[in-house]
Amino acid sequence: MLQRACAQLQAGRLLALPTETVYGLAADADAPEAVARIFAAKGRPADHPLIVHVGGRQPAQWQAAVAHYASACPDFALRLMAACWPGPLTLILPRRPGVASAAAGGQGSIGLRCPAHPVAQAVLLAAQRVGLHGLAAPSANRFGRLSPTRAEHVADEFAGLLSDEELLILDGGPCPVGIESTIIDCSRGQPVLLRPGVLPLSTLEAAAGQPLAARDAAAPRASGTLSAHYAPRARLRLMPAAEMQAALDLLGPEARHLALYSRSPLRCASAHVAHERMPQQASACAHELFAVLRALDRPGTRLIWVETPPDDPAWDGVRDRLQRAAAAG
């Protein structure tokens, strides 16, 4: 399978591969025509940058790829790599001129990540052996929609859009993390948090050796940071449990076209309302989040009500995805 995957990439075609976060839609990051196929397949604006994935279990393995794409790597970025790679962390670094411009959306910076999933690692290291420094690999879904965490999600996304020749899907099972990587901008002299994930802020700040600044107007464009993103077809609304229960009581047995996702137990008089219980732990919720929303987003569902996550830093990544999904409505 590795040989077939490398042949697919060398031919400039697309490969869907599992990472620990979500499935990625991958192509050679240094091949503009291949990268253009990612943008076209996703329906993604060409100026919205992609994350480039590099391989390696040890620093010596990923350092060459980082040096290929980045013109500089500050000490705090090196410390973050040492502490969190391989893993669900993307670092934005100054981009070497003339390298991976299409993948970077034309910006002077580039997002790099070293994923931990064994299938992704095997593909990336095999690709390195045939001369591919890294793979541009945004989530393998149509732009703005729910990210895929299983191979069948990818197949559903591109059914009728891409042939088996145009897209090879590697099935690595369900993604263990379930939401996209944390993104930290390291291109402007201090670490700036652009997108939360599952990594605790305290862990990141300890690794960087300094506090992470908040996103500002000068931040570079980055994957998954638009205000509206990660959306199901049905309209998603975040609500406190008490508000959800009051609305259900008001609708009574006539409730239709509605699905619920809540930590709190809810009473519903209608047999036509789907209800999934949200885990009490943030990491468990992140793991299942997109798969559950896909299951609730079935034909006929017009509204998905989701209980607002707790006001706890552990829930920042899940809250971020749900807020963006709600904004898309």
Side-chain angles (χ1 to χ4, degrees):
M1 182 58 76
L2 282 179
Q3 184 176 1
R4 186 180 174 196
C6 284
Q8 182 83 354
L9 294 166
Q10 288 178 295
R13 296 192 291 266
L14 302 180
L15 177 73
L17 79 169
T19 76
E20 71 276 23
T21 57
V22 302
Y23 274 73
L25 188 65
D28 179 3
D30 292 293
E33 291 184 0
V35 170
R37 290 189 176 96
I38 296 178
F39 285 108
K42 286 177 64 70
R44 182 186 181 111
D47 65 350
H48 196 57
L50 311 178
I51 292 171
V52 175
H53 294 62
V54 298
R57 290 287 180 186
Q58 302 296 328
Q61 293 177 295
W62 69 63
Q63 282 170 348
V66 171
H68 172 78
Y69 291 108
S71 61
C73 192
D75 288 343
F76 63 81
L78 292 172
R79 291 194 293 268
L80 284 164
M81 291 177 191
C84 302
W85 279 12
L89 174 64
T90 295
L91 302 179
I92 308 292
L93 296 167
R95 181 174 58 86
R96 282 182 58 213
V99 175
S101 176
Q107 290 191 118
S109 59
I110 190 163
L112 300 179
R113 182 165 97 85
C114 182
H117 197 287
V119 174
Q121 278 286 335
V123 170
L124 286 160
L125 292 174
Q128 284 181 6
R129 291 193 289 270
V130 296
L132 278 62
H133 296 279
L135 302 180
S139 56
N141 56 279
R142 298 287 289 167
F143 183 64
R145 296 302 179 184
L146 293 170
S147 298
T149 55
R150 300 176 184 174
E152 56 264 35
H153 298 165
V154 182
D156 289 344
E157 283 285 326
F158 297 106
L161 297 174
L162 296 174
S163 68
D164 292 342
E165 180 182 9
E166 292 171 309
L167 174 62
L168 173 63
I169 301 174
L170 300 184
D171 189 347
C175 298
V177 171
I179 62 172
E180 299 81 359
S181 60
T182 302
I183 300 179
I184 298 177
D185 176 22
C186 301
S187 68
R188 296 179 292 152
Q190 65 173 337
V192 179
L193 181 63
L194 301 188
R195 179 178 72 182
V198 297
L199 296 174
L201 180 62
S202 58
T203 298
L204 296 168
E205 292 186 332
Q210 59 184 288
L212 269 60
R215 182 186 179 92
D216 58 20
R221 298 186 304 277
S223 271
T225 56
L226 297 177
S227 58
H229 214 67
Y230 312 114
R233 288 181 293 270
R235 183 174 181 179
L236 187 146
R237 182 179 176 188
L238 281 171
M239 306 168 67
E243 186 177 329
M244 295 174 77
Q245 187 61 68
L248 288 171
D249 292 343
L250 184 64
L251 291 170
E254 301 305 314
R256 297 287 192 280
H257 312 298
L258 174 64
L260 312 172
Y261 187 39
S262 71
R263 295 180 314 285
S264 305
L266 297 171
R267 303 179 308 276
C268 182
S270 173
H272 303 282
V273 174
H275 184 201
E276 293 286 343
R277 289 295 295 273
M278 181 186 291
Q280 297 294 330
Q281 297 297 320
S283 59
C285 183
H287 170 71
E288 72 170 35
L289 178 65
F290 289 132
V292 168
L293 292 180
R294 280 179 178 270
L296 294 176
D297 193 29
R298 60 190 181 185
T301 300
R302 298 176 188 170
L303 295 169
I304 300 175
W305 292 352
V306 178
E307 184 176 352
T308 306
D311 186 16
D312 180 322
W315 287 84
D316 285 352
V318 169
R319 187 184 308 104
D320 172 85
R321 304 314 186 272
L322 289 171
Q323 288 174 339
R324 296 178 196 276

